[in-house]
Amino acid sequence: MVIPMDILELIEKLSATADGDAVTLPVASSDEAELAAAWCVRTGNTFVAGDGTSITVRRGRPPDPIAVLRADRRPGARLWLYTNFDCNLACDYCCARSSPQTARRALGVDRVQQIADAAPAAGVLEILLTGGEPFLLPDLGDIVAHCTSALPTTLLTNGMLFRGHRLEMLRAMPRDSLALQISLDSATPDLHDSHRGKGTWAKAVAGIRTALGEGFTVRVAATLTTDDRHEERDLRTFLDSLGIAREHQVVRPLAHEGAADDGLELTVQTLIPEVTITADGVYWHPVGADNDEQLVTRDIFPLDAAIDLVREQFRAYRNAADSTARTFPCA
C-alpha cells in the first residue's frame, strides 16, 4: 500500500509530540482531510477538525469529557421539561421571557407521558418540570403523575398559586417522589419585589410554608442580581429559619438570557448541557430554552437519540476547546 505524503508528514509530526498534544497541517483538498480522519480512526489518534485547507489531529485519544463528570451531572442525567411558557408573573430577568401575555406553548400531557416512559432507558436519573408557571396548567396533576411514576421529579414554581383547586391539585401529588422548588431571591421583600412585582415576596414565603406544611421536600432557588455577599448570607440565614436545609438552597447568579439586560454570558461552548425539552424541540440548557442558538434539534423523539446528539455535540465542543488550548504556542 502506498501511503500518501500528507499522511507521512502527519505521522512524522505526531511522533514528535507528547500524547494529548495536537498538530495542524495544510491539506490540498477535502479528500485529503477525509483520508486523515480515516487514518486517525485506524491508528487510535483523534481527528479534531479539518476542511479543504487544513487539518488538526491530536496524538492519542482524549479522555471522554462526559466520563469525568459526576454521574448525576452528565448530559441527559437530568431532563428538563418546559411544561408551558405563560406565567402569572413577569419577572424582569426571566430567561424564558414568561409573563401573563406569553403564549402558552404547552408541551402537553401526551408528549410528557411519552418522554417519561422513555426516560429511564435513555439514562435519565431525574425529571425537572418548569415553565412559565406550571400551576397555571389544569392538567398539571396528570403531568406530575406520569413523571413521578417513572423517575424522581422536581417541580419548579413561584409558589403563589396554592389555593382553591390548585391547592387540592398540590395535595394530590406524591410526597415520596416529588420535590418542589420555589423561587425566592432575598431575605426581605424589597429586592425580590423589585424584579418580580410588589407583594410577591410575601406570597412566595407563604407558598414555601404551605408546601412544607403539606409534607413536601422543598428546595428554594434564588437568582442573585447583586454582588453584595451580605445578600446571600442574609438569604441563607432566612431560609435556615424557614427550615430549608442547606443542600436544598440553590443560589445562582443572574444569566444574560431572555429578558435579562445583563448577567453571565452562557453559551453552548461554555455550558455543560442539561438536556431541555420544550414544545419547540430539544435545547442545550434550561436557561437557553428561548434562545435559538441553544436549539439542538426539533426532533424530541426518539428521546435517546436526542440525548445522544447533545452528548456528541458536547464532546465535540470540549475536544475542540482542548485542541485550541494545546495548539497556540508562542515560541
Side-chain angles (χ1 to χ4, degrees), residues 79-98:
L79 181 63
W80 290 80
L81 307 183
Y82 267 76
T83 59
N84 61 304
F85 280 83
D86 55 325
C87 188
N88 56 311
L89 301 182
C91 304
D92 62 12
Y93 56 70
C94 179
C95 65
R97 303 181 194 272
S98 294

Side-chain angles (χ1 to χ4, degrees), residues 31-94:
D31 288 343
E32 289 187 359
E34 291 177 6
L35 179 62
W39 178 84
C40 288
V41 171
R42 297 186 64 179
T43 59
N45 294 293
T46 304
F47 187 83
V48 177
D51 52 27
T53 61
S54 67
I55 57 171
T56 300
V57 173
R58 181 184 294 112
R59 181 172 178 175
R61 297 287 189 203
D64 185 350
I66 292 177
V68 301
L69 296 174
R70 212 174 69 193
D72 63 343
R73 292 296 177 175
R74 293 171 186 169
R78 304 207 307 174
L79 181 63
W80 290 80
L81 307 183
Y82 267 76
T83 59
N84 61 304
F85 280 83
D86 55 325
C87 188
N88 56 311
L89 301 182
C91 304
D92 62 12
Y93 56 70
C94 179

Side-chain angles (χ1 to χ4, degrees), residues 315-331:
R315 288 188 178 99
Y317 286 133
R318 295 313 311 152
N319 289 338
D322 290 345
S323 173
T324 301
R326 290 178 179 273
T327 59
F328 191 69
C330 290

Side-chain angles (χ1 to χ4, degrees), residues 12-215:
E12 180 182 356
K13 293 287 188 182
L14 275 184
S15 66
T17 67
D19 192 54
D21 282 347
V23 298
T24 299
L25 297 173
V27 293
S29 67
S30 57
D31 288 343
E32 289 187 359
E34 291 177 6
L35 179 62
W39 178 84
C40 288
V41 171
R42 297 186 64 179
T43 59
N45 294 293
T46 304
F47 187 83
V48 177
D51 52 27
T53 61
S54 67
I55 57 171
T56 300
V57 173
R58 181 184 294 112
R59 181 172 178 175
R61 297 287 189 203
D64 185 350
I66 292 177
V68 301
L69 296 174
R70 212 174 69 193
D72 63 343
R73 292 296 177 175
R74 293 171 186 169
R78 304 207 307 174
L79 181 63
W80 290 80
L81 307 183
Y82 267 76
T83 59
N84 61 304
F85 280 83
D86 55 325
C87 188
N88 56 311
L89 301 182
C91 304
D92 62 12
Y93 56 70
C94 179
C95 65
R97 303 181 194 272
S98 294
S99 74
Q101 289 75 44
T102 301
R104 173 152 290 182
R105 291 158 58 196
L107 191 54
V109 174
D110 291 343
R111 276 190 291 195
V112 170
Q113 181 177 5
Q114 189 176 353
I115 292 166
D117 289 346
V124 178
L125 303 178
E126 179 186 5
I127 295 173
L128 299 100
L129 303 173
T130 188
E133 172 50 54
F135 273 90
L136 290 177
L137 297 174
D139 52 8
L140 179 62
D142 293 333
I143 289 172
V144 168
H146 289 307
C147 293
T148 54
S149 65
L151 289 165
T153 300
T154 297
L155 175 59
L156 280 68
T157 175
N158 56 44
M160 299 181 189
L161 299 177
F162 299 159
R163 57 185 180 274
H165 72 277
R166 294 188 176 105
L167 178 57
E168 294 306 312
M169 183 164 56
L170 173 68
R171 286 172 171 163
M173 293 177 181
R175 274 63 168 177
D176 58 344
S177 53
L178 179 69
L180 298 178
Q181 181 168 305
I182 299 175
S183 302
L184 189 74
D185 292 341
S186 56
T188 54
D190 289 350
L191 183 59
H192 178 101
D193 287 5
S194 69
H195 295 287
R196 295 180 180 267
K198 185 175 178 59
T200 57
W201 183 90
K203 292 177 181 178
V205 172
I208 292 169
R209 290 187 167 126
T210 295
L212 289 170
E214 293 293 335

